Amino acid sequence: MAEDNGKLERFEARINAGEKIEPKDWMPERYRQQLIRMMSQHAHSEVVGMLPEGNWITRAPSLRRKMVLLAKVQDEAGHGHYLYSATETLGVTREEMLEKLLSGKAKYSNIFNYPTLTWADIGVIGWLVDGAAIVNQTMLAKTSYGPYSRAMIRICKEENFHKKQGYEIVATMARGTPAQRKMVQDALNRWWWPTLMMFGPHDKDSPNSGDLLRWKVKLKTNDELRQRFVDITVPQAHAVGLTIPDPELRYNEETGHWEFGEIDWDEFWRVIRGNGPCNKERLAARRKAHQEGAWVRAAAEAYARKHGREPGKAA
Ligand code: FAQ
């Protein structure tokens, strides 16, 4: 125990000195478990996050829009892969993580349990959802765990492109016909509040934040990041003539922040516990894809064995 205390002290001193923790370094079991929880949920979010947008690839309004959306959805598959690989460095296998997702035990971001009803939703997802992801992940790029931090740096670069393509769709529709303006405003009305929920519960209701902040996995709290997102996004909505669907939204000259109304936390908990509008549909789609991909996994394993490599390990 005394030895463990010494290790813990050295571990925390390294974190406080801004050093990265690497896979083979000693780490408290609680740090490892918290990272597995958070990083695997993040990986699942990227993969499930392909579904609402993938739904629109065949219906994109032009070839250019189709190519861009295809590339974006493909990027998200890539992000899932980097994040599963980074999580594997903590001693958990990809199969274990996937089993938790497919059996409904693991969480993934609340936001991907809402339907994409019109093309404007694709613009608004890029602008708001990728915009929120960037605010959150720019901080995570400085996280104390080396593999997560490095994955985040690359992912953030791609998310910046995603946000720009989304805002371009939004701006184009906002200066389009009355029907297009109505469609994009309606999409903003439906996605605004669920996007604010992406940052997690208020700090006072966030059981994990204590450990995560202490060990610099998180560098800012849920409420701090949510406020930052609102401050960045409100002027962007105004710039294209859209209205944020919050009657309580007002700018506070003294603090320099946009104040906003209360989030419907009952809706948040309902959605993350499996009872949102599309939870069942999303999991069914993932299970189907997993089953249909069985032959690909079998072929990859057979190939690895034939060439004397352990399946799942790089050459
Ligand atoms: N959704 O104690 P806290 C993307 C759960 S990537 C679902 O505050 P924590 C890119 C939380 O897990 C989006 N569950 O938790 C893209 C915990 O339950 P547990 C994903 C949530 O970890 C764009 C409980 O509530 N990004 O969008 C959510 O300290 C477009 C209590 O919460 C990440 O995952 C939620 N929103 O803070 C892809 C970023 N919030 O596990 C495709 C990494 C909270 O104890 C298309 N993660 N919960 O059973 C994080 O930064 C943190 O994990 C938070 C939550 C901030 C999400």
Side-chain angles (χ1 to χ4, degrees), residues 37 41 46 76 107-108 110 130 136 159 198 200 206-208 212 218 222 272:
R37 179 191 66 82
Q41 286 179 6
E46 297 282 355
E76 264 126 32
K107 291 194 171 67
Y108 57 86
N110 69 300
D130 286 276
N136 173 271
E159 302 287 27
M198 283 177 71
S206 163
N208 300 297
L212 295 176
K218 278 181 173 178
N222 297 357
I272 73 166

mmCIF file with all atom_site columns, all heavy atoms in Angstrom, residues 37 41 46 76 107-108 110 130 136 159 198 200 206-208 212 218 222 272, ligand 1:
data_model
loop_
_atom_site.group_PDB
_atom_site.id
_atom_site.type_symbol
_atom_site.label_atom_id
_atom_site.label_alt_id
_atom_site.label_comp_id
_atom_site.label_asym_id
_atom_site.label_entity_id
_atom_site.label_seq_id
_atom_site.pdbx_PDB_ins_code
_atom_site.Cartn_x
_atom_site.Cartn_y
_atom_site.Cartn_z
_atom_site.occupancy
_atom_site.B_iso_or_equiv
_atom_site.pdbx_formal_charge
_atom_site.auth_seq_id
_atom_site.auth_comp_id
_atom_site.auth_asym_id
_atom_site.auth_atom_id
_atom_site.pdbx_PDB_model_num
ATOM   1   N N   . ARG A 1 37  ? -13.723 3.688  -20.133 1.00 0.00 ? 37  ARG A N   1
ATOM   2   C CA  . ARG A 1 37  ? -15.141 4.087  -20.209 1.00 0.00 ? 37  ARG A CA  1
ATOM   3   C C   . ARG A 1 37  ? -15.313 5.235  -21.201 1.00 0.00 ? 37  ARG A C   1
ATOM   4   O O   . ARG A 1 37  ? -16.092 5.154  -22.151 1.00 0.00 ? 37  ARG A O   1
ATOM   5   C CB  . ARG A 1 37  ? -15.626 4.511  -18.809 1.00 0.00 ? 37  ARG A CB  1
ATOM   6   C CG  . ARG A 1 37  ? -17.074 4.978  -18.749 1.00 0.00 ? 37  ARG A CG  1
ATOM   7   C CD  . ARG A 1 37  ? -17.387 5.634  -17.395 1.00 0.00 ? 37  ARG A CD  1
ATOM   8   N NE  . ARG A 1 37  ? -16.659 6.873  -17.206 1.00 0.00 ? 37  ARG A NE  1
ATOM   9   C CZ  . ARG A 1 37  ? -17.035 8.054  -17.699 1.00 0.00 ? 37  ARG A CZ  1
ATOM   10  N NH1 . ARG A 1 37  ? -18.142 8.168  -18.381 1.00 0.00 ? 37  ARG A NH1 1
ATOM   11  N NH2 . ARG A 1 37  ? -16.298 9.131  -17.494 1.00 0.00 ? 37  ARG A NH2 1
ATOM   12  N N   . GLN A 1 41  ? -16.676 4.923  -25.161 1.00 0.00 ? 41  GLN A N   1
ATOM   13  C CA  . GLN A 1 41  ? -17.943 5.614  -25.474 1.00 0.00 ? 41  GLN A CA  1
ATOM   14  C C   . GLN A 1 41  ? -17.736 6.577  -26.629 1.00 0.00 ? 41  GLN A C   1
ATOM   15  O O   . GLN A 1 41  ? -18.604 6.747  -27.490 1.00 0.00 ? 41  GLN A O   1
ATOM   16  C CB  . GLN A 1 41  ? -18.436 6.405  -24.258 1.00 0.00 ? 41  GLN A CB  1
ATOM   17  C CG  . GLN A 1 41  ? -19.010 5.510  -23.168 1.00 0.00 ? 41  GLN A CG  1
ATOM   18  C CD  . GLN A 1 41  ? -19.467 6.293  -21.944 1.00 0.00 ? 41  GLN A CD  1
ATOM   19  O OE1 . GLN A 1 41  ? -19.462 7.525  -21.925 1.00 0.00 ? 41  GLN A OE1 1
ATOM   20  N NE2 . GLN A 1 41  ? -19.873 5.580  -20.911 1.00 0.00 ? 41  GLN A NE2 1
ATOM   21  N N   . GLU A 1 46  ? -18.579 7.770  -32.537 1.00 0.00 ? 46  GLU A N   1
ATOM   22  C CA  . GLU A 1 46  ? -18.151 8.027  -33.914 1.00 0.00 ? 46  GLU A CA  1
ATOM   23  C C   . GLU A 1 46  ? -18.810 7.026  -34.865 1.00 0.00 ? 46  GLU A C   1
ATOM   24  O O   . GLU A 1 46  ? -19.264 7.393  -35.948 1.00 0.00 ? 46  GLU A O   1
ATOM   25  C CB  . GLU A 1 46  ? -16.624 7.922  -34.034 1.00 0.00 ? 46  GLU A CB  1
ATOM   26  C CG  . GLU A 1 46  ? -15.851 8.938  -33.212 1.00 0.00 ? 46  GLU A CG  1
ATOM   27  C CD  . GLU A 1 46  ? -15.817 10.336 -33.837 1.00 0.00 ? 46  GLU A CD  1
ATOM   28  O OE1 . GLU A 1 46  ? -16.310 10.493 -34.964 1.00 0.00 ? 46  GLU A OE1 1
ATOM   29  O OE2 . GLU A 1 46  ? -15.305 11.261 -33.179 1.00 0.00 ? 46  GLU A OE2 1
ATOM   30  N N   . GLU A 1 76  ? -15.591 9.511  -40.165 1.00 0.00 ? 76  GLU A N   1
ATOM   31  C CA  . GLU A 1 76  ? -16.088 9.102  -38.840 1.00 0.00 ? 76  GLU A CA  1
ATOM   32  C C   . GLU A 1 76  ? -15.759 7.636  -38.546 1.00 0.00 ? 76  GLU A C   1
ATOM   33  O O   . GLU A 1 76  ? -15.429 7.292  -37.409 1.00 0.00 ? 76  GLU A O   1
ATOM   34  C CB  . GLU A 1 76  ? -17.587 9.364  -38.738 1.00 0.00 ? 76  GLU A CB  1
ATOM   35  C CG  . GLU A 1 76  ? -17.851 10.690 -38.066 1.00 0.00 ? 76  GLU A CG  1
ATOM   36  C CD  . GLU A 1 76  ? -18.736 11.623 -38.877 1.00 0.00 ? 76  GLU A CD  1
ATOM   37  O OE1 . GLU A 1 76  ? -19.598 11.121 -39.606 1.00 0.00 ? 76  GLU A OE1 1
ATOM   38  O OE2 . GLU A 1 76  ? -18.546 12.838 -38.784 1.00 0.00 ? 76  GLU A OE2 1
ATOM   39  N N   . LYS A 1 107 ? -22.585 3.170  -23.355 1.00 0.00 ? 107 LYS A N   1
ATOM   40  C CA  . LYS A 1 107 ? -23.237 4.395  -23.824 1.00 0.00 ? 107 LYS A CA  1
ATOM   41  C C   . LYS A 1 107 ? -22.536 4.901  -25.090 1.00 0.00 ? 107 LYS A C   1
ATOM   42  O O   . LYS A 1 107 ? -21.406 4.543  -25.379 1.00 0.00 ? 107 LYS A O   1
ATOM   43  C CB  . LYS A 1 107 ? -23.135 5.470  -22.751 1.00 0.00 ? 107 LYS A CB  1
ATOM   44  C CG  . LYS A 1 107 ? -23.968 5.173  -21.511 1.00 0.00 ? 107 LYS A CG  1
ATOM   45  C CD  . LYS A 1 107 ? -24.104 6.424  -20.649 1.00 0.00 ? 107 LYS A CD  1
ATOM   46  C CE  . LYS A 1 107 ? -25.095 6.244  -19.536 1.00 0.00 ? 107 LYS A CE  1
ATOM   47  N NZ  . LYS A 1 107 ? -24.672 5.274  -18.519 1.00 0.00 ? 107 LYS A NZ  1
ATOM   48  N N   . TYR A 1 108 ? -23.234 5.756  -25.814 1.00 0.00 ? 108 TYR A N   1
ATOM   49  C CA  . TYR A 1 108 ? -22.644 6.549  -26.894 1.00 0.00 ? 108 TYR A CA  1
ATOM   50  C C   . TYR A 1 108 ? -23.389 7.872  -26.865 1.00 0.00 ? 108 TYR A C   1
ATOM   51  O O   . TYR A 1 108 ? -24.429 7.993  -26.197 1.00 0.00 ? 108 TYR A O   1
ATOM   52  C CB  . TYR A 1 108 ? -22.737 5.833  -28.257 1.00 0.00 ? 108 TYR A CB  1
ATOM   53  C CG  . TYR A 1 108 ? -24.141 5.463  -28.661 1.00 0.00 ? 108 TYR A CG  1
ATOM   54  C CD1 . TYR A 1 108 ? -24.964 6.377  -29.319 1.00 0.00 ? 108 TYR A CD1 1
ATOM   55  C CD2 . TYR A 1 108 ? -24.669 4.208  -28.353 1.00 0.00 ? 108 TYR A CD2 1
ATOM   56  C CE1 . TYR A 1 108 ? -26.260 6.047  -29.668 1.00 0.00 ? 108 TYR A CE1 1
ATOM   57  C CE2 . TYR A 1 108 ? -25.968 3.880  -28.699 1.00 0.00 ? 108 TYR A CE2 1
ATOM   58  C CZ  . TYR A 1 108 ? -26.764 4.803  -29.355 1.00 0.00 ? 108 TYR A CZ  1
ATOM   59  O OH  . TYR A 1 108 ? -28.056 4.482  -29.687 1.00 0.00 ? 108 TYR A OH  1
ATOM   60  N N   . ASN A 1 110 ? -25.623 10.984 -26.745 1.00 0.00 ? 110 ASN A N   1
ATOM   61  C CA  . ASN A 1 110 ? -27.078 11.205 -26.839 1.00 0.00 ? 110 ASN A CA  1
ATOM   62  C C   . ASN A 1 110 ? -27.513 11.660 -28.227 1.00 0.00 ? 110 ASN A C   1
ATOM   63  O O   . ASN A 1 110 ? -28.572 11.295 -28.721 1.00 0.00 ? 110 ASN A O   1
ATOM   64  C CB  . ASN A 1 110 ? -27.489 12.281 -25.812 1.00 0.00 ? 110 ASN A CB  1
ATOM   65  C CG  . ASN A 1 110 ? -26.950 13.671 -26.177 1.00 0.00 ? 110 ASN A CG  1
ATOM   66  O OD1 . ASN A 1 110 ? -25.739 13.881 -26.287 1.00 0.00 ? 110 ASN A OD1 1
ATOM   67  N ND2 . ASN A 1 110 ? -27.842 14.608 -26.385 1.00 0.00 ? 110 ASN A ND2 1
ATOM   68  N N   . ASP A 1 130 ? -20.650 18.704 -35.012 1.00 0.00 ? 130 ASP A N   1
ATOM   69  C CA  . ASP A 1 130 ? -19.189 18.713 -35.159 1.00 0.00 ? 130 ASP A CA  1
ATOM   70  C C   . ASP A 1 130 ? -18.602 19.924 -34.447 1.00 0.00 ? 130 ASP A C   1
ATOM   71  O O   . ASP A 1 130 ? -17.509 19.852 -33.886 1.00 0.00 ? 130 ASP A O   1
ATOM   72  C CB  . ASP A 1 130 ? -18.795 18.691 -36.638 1.00 0.00 ? 130 ASP A CB  1
ATOM   73  C CG  . ASP A 1 130 ? -19.013 17.310 -37.240 1.00 0.00 ? 130 ASP A CG  1
ATOM   74  O OD1 . ASP A 1 130 ? -18.131 16.454 -37.095 1.00 0.00 ? 130 ASP A OD1 1
ATOM   75  O OD2 . ASP A 1 130 ? -20.092 17.076 -37.812 1.00 0.00 ? 130 ASP A OD2 1
ATOM   76  N N   . ASN A 1 136 ? -15.160 20.338 -27.444 1.00 0.00 ? 136 ASN A N   1
ATOM   77  C CA  . ASN A 1 136 ? -14.830 19.323 -26.451 1.00 0.00 ? 136 ASN A CA  1
ATOM   78  C C   . ASN A 1 136 ? -13.454 18.693 -26.731 1.00 0.00 ? 136 ASN A C   1
ATOM   79  O O   . ASN A 1 136 ? -12.615 18.520 -25.836 1.00 0.00 ? 136 ASN A O   1
ATOM   80  C CB  . ASN A 1 136 ? -15.959 18.275 -26.502 1.00 0.00 ? 136 ASN A CB  1
ATOM   81  C CG  . ASN A 1 136 ? -15.707 17.062 -25.668 1.00 0.00 ? 136 ASN A CG  1
ATOM   82  O OD1 . ASN A 1 136 ? -15.108 16.106 -26.160 1.00 0.00 ? 136 ASN A OD1 1
ATOM   83  N ND2 . ASN A 1 136 ? -16.133 17.080 -24.429 1.00 0.00 ? 136 ASN A ND2 1
ATOM   84  N N   . GLU A 1 159 ? -12.467 17.210 -38.036 1.00 0.00 ? 159 GLU A N   1
ATOM   85  C CA  . GLU A 1 159 ? -13.755 17.782 -37.575 1.00 0.00 ? 159 GLU A CA  1
ATOM   86  C C   . GLU A 1 159 ? -13.892 19.237 -38.016 1.00 0.00 ? 159 GLU A C   1
ATOM   87  O O   . GLU A 1 159 ? -15.004 19.716 -38.245 1.00 0.00 ? 159 GLU A O   1
ATOM   88  C CB  . GLU A 1 159 ? -13.897 17.722 -36.040 1.00 0.00 ? 159 GLU A CB  1
ATOM   89  C CG  . GLU A 1 159 ? -13.792 16.343 -35.402 1.00 0.00 ? 159 GLU A CG  1
ATOM   90  C CD  . GLU A 1 159 ? -14.993 15.453 -35.623 1.00 0.00 ? 159 GLU A CD  1
ATOM   91  O OE1 . GLU A 1 159 ? -15.692 15.620 -36.624 1.00 0.00 ? 159 GLU A OE1 1
ATOM   92  O OE2 . GLU A 1 159 ? -15.215 14.557 -34.790 1.00 0.00 ? 159 GLU A OE2 1
ATOM   93  N N   . MET A 1 198 ? -24.916 17.390 -25.327 1.00 0.00 ? 198 MET A N   1
ATOM   94  C CA  . MET A 1 198 ? -23.714 16.591 -25.635 1.00 0.00 ? 198 MET A CA  1
ATOM   95  C C   . MET A 1 198 ? -22.598 16.800 -24.607 1.00 0.00 ? 198 MET A C   1
ATOM   96  O O   . MET A 1 198 ? -21.747 15.938 -24.423 1.00 0.00 ? 198 MET A O   1
ATOM   97  C CB  . MET A 1 198 ? -23.155 16.979 -27.015 1.00 0.00 ? 198 MET A CB  1
ATOM   98  C CG  . MET A 1 198 ? -23.916 16.409 -28.185 1.00 0.00 ? 198 MET A CG  1
ATOM   99  S SD  . MET A 1 198 ? -23.212 17.017 -29.735 1.00 0.00 ? 198 MET A SD  1
ATOM   100 C CE  . MET A 1 198 ? -21.641 16.159 -29.825 1.00 0.00 ? 198 MET A CE  1
ATOM   101 N N   . GLY A 1 200 ? -22.766 16.848 -21.539 1.00 0.00 ? 200 GLY A N   1
ATOM   102 C CA  . GLY A 1 200 ? -22.990 16.108 -20.302 1.00 0.00 ? 200 GLY A CA  1
ATOM   103 C C   . GLY A 1 200 ? -23.740 16.933 -19.269 1.00 0.00 ? 200 GLY A C   1
ATOM   104 O O   . GLY A 1 200 ? -24.020 18.108 -19.476 1.00 0.00 ? 200 GLY A O   1
ATOM   105 N N   . SER A 1 206 ? -22.317 15.658 -12.240 1.00 0.00 ? 206 SER A N   1
ATOM   106 C CA  . SER A 1 206 ? -21.412 14.856 -13.064 1.00 0.00 ? 206 SER A CA  1
ATOM   107 C C   . SER A 1 206 ? -20.501 14.010 -12.171 1.00 0.00 ? 206 SER A C   1
ATOM   108 O O   . SER A 1 206 ? -19.508 14.499 -11.643 1.00 0.00 ? 206 SER A O   1
ATOM   109 C CB  . SER A 1 206 ? -20.574 15.817 -13.940 1.00 0.00 ? 206 SER A CB  1
ATOM   110 O OG  . SER A 1 206 ? -19.445 15.160 -14.449 1.00 0.00 ? 206 SER A OG  1
ATOM   111 N N   . PRO A 1 207 ? -20.831 12.715 -11.981 1.00 0.00 ? 207 PRO A N   1
ATOM   112 C CA  . PRO A 1 207 ? -20.067 11.899 -11.037 1.00 0.00 ? 207 PRO A CA  1
ATOM   113 C C   . PRO A 1 207 ? -18.620 11.646 -11.456 1.00 0.00 ? 207 PRO A C   1
ATOM   114 O O   . PRO A 1 207 ? -17.757 11.425 -10.607 1.00 0.00 ? 207 PRO A O   1
ATOM   115 C CB  . PRO A 1 207 ? -20.850 10.579 -10.990 1.00 0.00 ? 207 PRO A CB  1
ATOM   116 C CG  . PRO A 1 207 ? -21.658 10.550 -12.239 1.00 0.00 ? 207 PRO A CG  1
ATOM   117 C CD  . PRO A 1 207 ? -21.931 11.975 -12.614 1.00 0.00 ? 207 PRO A CD  1
ATOM   118 N N   . ASN A 1 208 ? -18.343 11.680 -12.750 1.00 0.00 ? 208 ASN A N   1
ATOM   119 C CA  . ASN A 1 208 ? -16.995 11.321 -13.222 1.00 0.00 ? 208 ASN A CA  1
ATOM   120 C C   . ASN A 1 208 ? -16.024 12.487 -13.269 1.00 0.00 ? 208 ASN A C   1
ATOM   121 O O   . ASN A 1 208 ? -14.811 12.286 -13.343 1.00 0.00 ? 208 ASN A O   1
ATOM   122 C CB  . ASN A 1 208 ? -17.094 10.690 -14.609 1.00 0.00 ? 208 ASN A CB  1
ATOM   123 C CG  . ASN A 1 208 ? -17.936 9.435  -14.602 1.00 0.00 ? 208 ASN A CG  1
ATOM   124 O OD1 . ASN A 1 208 ? -17.591 8.451  -13.950 1.00 0.00 ? 208 ASN A OD1 1
ATOM   125 N ND2 . ASN A 1 208 ? -19.067 9.459  -15.284 1.00 0.00 ? 208 ASN A ND2 1
ATOM   126 N N   . LEU A 1 212 ? -11.661 12.842 -13.344 1.00 0.00 ? 212 LEU A N   1
ATOM   127 C CA  . LEU A 1 212 ? -11.142 13.193 -14.683 1.00 0.00 ? 212 LEU A CA  1
ATOM   128 C C   . LEU A 1 212 ? -10.420 14.531 -14.671 1.00 0.00 ? 212 LEU A C   1
ATOM   129 O O   . LEU A 1 212 ? -9.417  14.704 -15.357 1.00 0.00 ? 212 LEU A O   1
ATOM   130 C CB  . LEU A 1 212 ? -12.291 13.209 -15.704 1.00 0.00 ? 212 LEU A CB  1
ATOM   131 C CG  . LEU A 1 212 ? -12.969 11.850 -15.966 1.00 0.00 ? 212 LEU A CG  1
ATOM   132 C CD1 . LEU A 1 212 ? -14.160 12.003 -16.917 1.00 0.00 ? 212 LEU A CD1 1
ATOM   133 C CD2 . LEU A 1 212 ? -11.991 10.836 -16.555 1.00 0.00 ? 212 LEU A CD2 1
ATOM   134 N N   . LYS A 1 218 ? -9.827  15.406 -18.368 1.00 0.00 ? 218 LYS A N   1
ATOM   135 C CA  . LYS A 1 218 ? -10.590 16.580 -18.809 1.00 0.00 ? 218 LYS A CA  1
ATOM   136 C C   . LYS A 1 218 ? -9.841  17.813 -18.311 1.00 0.00 ? 218 LYS A C   1
ATOM   137 O O   . LYS A 1 218 ? -9.374  17.822 -17.169 1.00 0.00 ? 218 LYS A O   1
ATOM   138 C CB  . LYS A 1 218 ? -11.948 16.605 -18.114 1.00 0.00 ? 218 LYS A CB  1
ATOM   139 C CG  . LYS A 1 218 ? -13.032 15.743 -18.706 1.00 0.00 ? 218 LYS A CG  1
ATOM   140 C CD  . LYS A 1 218 ? -14.295 15.955 -17.860 1.00 0.00 ? 218 LYS A CD  1
ATOM   141 C CE  . LYS A 1 218 ? -15.505 15.312 -18.408 1.00 0.00 ? 218 LYS A CE  1
ATOM   142 N NZ  . LYS A 1 218 ? -16.679 15.517 -17.533 1.00 0.00 ? 218 LYS A NZ  1
ATOM   143 N N   . ASN A 1 222 ? -17.852 20.236 -17.829 1.00 0.00 ? 222 ASN A N   1
ATOM   144 C CA  . ASN A 1 222 ? -18.945 20.148 -18.811 1.00 0.00 ? 222 ASN A CA  1
ATOM   145 C C   . ASN A 1 222 ? -19.582 21.524 -19.023 1.00 0.00 ? 222 ASN A C   1
ATOM   146 O O   . ASN A 1 222 ? -19.829 21.935 -20.155 1.00 0.00 ? 222 ASN A O   1
ATOM   147 C CB  . ASN A 1 222 ? -20.033 19.184 -18.309 1.00 0.00 ? 222 ASN A CB  1
ATOM   148 C CG  . ASN A 1 222 ? -19.534 17.752 -18.137 1.00 0.00 ? 222 ASN A CG  1
ATOM   149 O OD1 . ASN A 1 222 ? -18.391 17.439 -18.443 1.00 0.00 ? 222 ASN A OD1 1
ATOM   150 N ND2 . ASN A 1 222 ? -20.407 16.870 -17.643 1.00 0.00 ? 222 ASN A ND2 1
ATOM   151 N N   . ILE A 1 272 ? -30.135 8.853  -22.937 1.00 0.00 ? 272 ILE A N   1
ATOM   152 C CA  . ILE A 1 272 ? -28.887 8.091  -22.719 1.00 0.00 ? 272 ILE A CA  1
ATOM   153 C C   . ILE A 1 272 ? -29.151 6.751  -22.019 1.00 0.00 ? 272 ILE A C   1
ATOM   154 O O   . ILE A 1 272 ? -28.299 5.880  -22.024 1.00 0.00 ? 272 ILE A O   1
ATOM   155 C CB  . ILE A 1 272 ? -27.774 8.903  -21.997 1.00 0.00 ? 272 ILE A CB  1
ATOM   156 C CG1 . ILE A 1 272 ? -28.085 9.112  -20.532 1.00 0.00 ? 272 ILE A CG1 1
ATOM   157 C CG2 . ILE A 1 272 ? -27.507 10.221 -22.692 1.00 0.00 ? 272 ILE A CG2 1
ATOM   158 C CD1 . ILE A 1 272 ? -26.863 9.593  -19.763 1.00 0.00 ? 272 ILE A CD1 1
HETATM 159 N N1  . FAQ B 2 .   ? -24.267 11.227 -24.255 1.00 0.00 ? 1   FAQ B N1  1
HETATM 160 O O1  . FAQ B 2 .   ? -20.074 12.173 -15.182 1.00 0.00 ? 1   FAQ B O1  1
HETATM 161 P P1  . FAQ B 2 .   ? -20.429 12.676 -16.540 1.00 0.00 ? 1   FAQ B P1  1
HETATM 162 C C1  . FAQ B 2 .   ? -18.853 13.420 -32.217 1.00 0.00 ? 1   FAQ B C1  1
HETATM 163 C C2  . FAQ B 2 .   ? -23.134 10.039 -19.411 1.00 0.00 ? 1   FAQ B C2  1
HETATM 164 S S1  . FAQ B 2 .   ? -18.151 12.646 -30.934 1.00 0.00 ? 1   FAQ B S1  1
HETATM 165 C C3  . FAQ B 2 .   ? -24.371 10.038 -23.629 1.00 0.00 ? 1   FAQ B C3  1
HETATM 166 O O2  . FAQ B 2 .   ? -20.398 14.140 -16.767 1.00 0.00 ? 1   FAQ B O2  1
HETATM 167 P P2  . FAQ B 2 .   ? -18.118 12.359 -18.198 1.00 0.00 ? 1   FAQ B P2  1
HETATM 168 C C4  . FAQ B 2 .   ? -18.160 13.424 -33.544 1.00 0.00 ? 1   FAQ B C4  1
HETATM 169 C C5  . FAQ B 2 .   ? -21.725 9.682  -18.968 1.00 0.00 ? 1   FAQ B C5  1
HETATM 170 O O3  . FAQ B 2 .   ? -21.168 8.730  -19.851 1.00 0.00 ? 1   FAQ B O3  1
HETATM 171 C C6  . FAQ B 2 .   ? -19.328 12.791 -29.598 1.00 0.00 ? 1   FAQ B C6  1
HETATM 172 N N2  . FAQ B 2 .   ? -24.016 9.858  -22.327 1.00 0.00 ? 1   FAQ B N2  1
HETATM 173 O O4  . FAQ B 2 .   ? -19.529 11.928 -17.635 1.00 0.00 ? 1   FAQ B O4  1
HETATM 174 C C7  . FAQ B 2 .   ? -19.133 13.200 -34.591 1.00 0.00 ? 1   FAQ B C7  1
HETATM 175 C C8  . FAQ B 2 .   ? -21.972 9.172  -17.567 1.00 0.00 ? 1   FAQ B C8  1
HETATM 176 O O5  . FAQ B 2 .   ? -22.462 7.843  -17.614 1.00 0.00 ? 1   FAQ B O5  1
HETATM 177 P P3  . FAQ B 2 .   ? -21.500 6.557  -17.212 1.00 0.00 ? 1   FAQ B P3  1
HETATM 178 C C9  . FAQ B 2 .   ? -18.841 12.006 -28.476 1.00 0.00 ? 1   FAQ B C9  1
HETATM 179 C C10 . FAQ B 2 .   ? -23.509 10.934 -21.683 1.00 0.00 ? 1   FAQ B C10 1
HETATM 180 O O6  . FAQ B 2 .   ? -17.536 11.222 -18.932 1.00 0.00 ? 1   FAQ B O6  1
HETATM 181 C C11 . FAQ B 2 .   ? -19.825 14.265 -35.140 1.00 0.00 ? 1   FAQ B C11 1
HETATM 182 C C12 . FAQ B 2 .   ? -23.140 10.033 -17.097 1.00 0.00 ? 1   FAQ B C12 1
HETATM 183 O O7  . FAQ B 2 .   ? -23.761 10.556 -18.250 1.00 0.00 ? 1   FAQ B O7  1
HETATM 184 N N3  . FAQ B 2 .   ? -17.765 12.704 -27.823 1.00 0.00 ? 1   FAQ B N3  1
HETATM 185 O O8  . FAQ B 2 .   ? -19.873 13.931 -31.998 1.00 0.00 ? 1   FAQ B O8  1
HETATM 186 C C13 . FAQ B 2 .   ? -23.356 12.184 -22.289 1.00 0.00 ? 1   FAQ B C13 1
HETATM 187 O O9  . FAQ B 2 .   ? -17.321 12.997 -17.111 1.00 0.00 ? 1   FAQ B O9  1
HETATM 188 C C14 . FAQ B 2 .   ? -20.774 14.061 -36.138 1.00 0.00 ? 1   FAQ B C14 1
HETATM 189 C C15 . FAQ B 2 .   ? -22.663 11.176 -16.199 1.00 0.00 ? 1   FAQ B C15 1
HETATM 190 O O10 . FAQ B 2 .   ? -21.875 12.132 -16.953 1.00 0.00 ? 1   FAQ B O10 1
HETATM 191 C C16 . FAQ B 2 .   ? -17.155 12.195 -26.732 1.00 0.00 ? 1   FAQ B C16 1
HETATM 192 O O11 . FAQ B 2 .   ? -17.476 11.104 -26.307 1.00 0.00 ? 1   FAQ B O11 1
HETATM 193 C C17 . FAQ B 2 .   ? -23.756 12.306 -23.629 1.00 0.00 ? 1   FAQ B C17 1
HETATM 194 N N4  . FAQ B 2 .   ? -23.673 13.464 -24.284 1.00 0.00 ? 1   FAQ B N4  1
HETATM 195 O O12 . FAQ B 2 .   ? -18.455 13.536 -19.251 1.00 0.00 ? 1   FAQ B O12 1
HETATM 196 C C18 . FAQ B 2 .   ? -19.377 11.936 -35.054 1.00 0.00 ? 1   FAQ B C18 1
HETATM 197 C C19 . FAQ B 2 .   ? -16.058 13.024 -26.152 1.00 0.00 ? 1   FAQ B C19 1
HETATM 198 N N5  . FAQ B 2 .   ? -22.841 13.051 -21.381 1.00 0.00 ? 1   FAQ B N5  1
HETATM 199 O O13 . FAQ B 2 .   ? -20.448 6.435  -18.280 1.00 0.00 ? 1   FAQ B O13 1
HETATM 200 C C20 . FAQ B 2 .   ? -20.335 11.707 -36.050 1.00 0.00 ? 1   FAQ B C20 1
HETATM 201 C C21 . FAQ B 2 .   ? -15.366 12.351 -25.007 1.00 0.00 ? 1   FAQ B C21 1
HETATM 202 C C22 . FAQ B 2 .   ? -22.681 12.359 -20.242 1.00 0.00 ? 1   FAQ B C22 1
HETATM 203 O O14 . FAQ B 2 .   ? -20.876 6.902  -15.872 1.00 0.00 ? 1   FAQ B O14 1
HETATM 204 C C23 . FAQ B 2 .   ? -21.029 12.795 -36.584 1.00 0.00 ? 1   FAQ B C23 1
HETATM 205 N N6  . FAQ B 2 .   ? -16.177 12.298 -23.827 1.00 0.00 ? 1   FAQ B N6  1
HETATM 206 N N7  . FAQ B 2 .   ? -23.094 11.085 -20.422 1.00 0.00 ? 1   FAQ B N7  1
HETATM 207 O O15 . FAQ B 2 .   ? -22.451 5.401  -17.185 1.00 0.00 ? 1   FAQ B O15 1
HETATM 208 C C24 . FAQ B 2 .   ? -16.320 13.317 -22.949 1.00 0.00 ? 1   FAQ B C24 1
HETATM 209 O O16 . FAQ B 2 .   ? -15.779 14.405 -23.127 1.00 0.00 ? 1   FAQ B O16 1
HETATM 210 C C25 . FAQ B 2 .   ? -17.092 13.049 -21.693 1.00 0.00 ? 1   FAQ B C25 1
HETATM 211 O O17 . FAQ B 2 .   ? -17.237 11.659 -21.558 1.00 0.00 ? 1   FAQ B O17 1
HETATM 212 C C26 . FAQ B 2 .   ? -18.501 13.735 -21.663 1.00 0.00 ? 1   FAQ B C26 1
HETATM 213 C C27 . FAQ B 2 .   ? -19.250 13.273 -20.405 1.00 0.00 ? 1   FAQ B C27 1
HETATM 214 C C28 . FAQ B 2 .   ? -18.341 15.242 -21.622 1.00 0.00 ? 1   FAQ B C28 1
HETATM 215 C C29 . FAQ B 2 .   ? -19.333 13.339 -22.870 1.00 0.00 ? 1   FAQ B C29 1
#
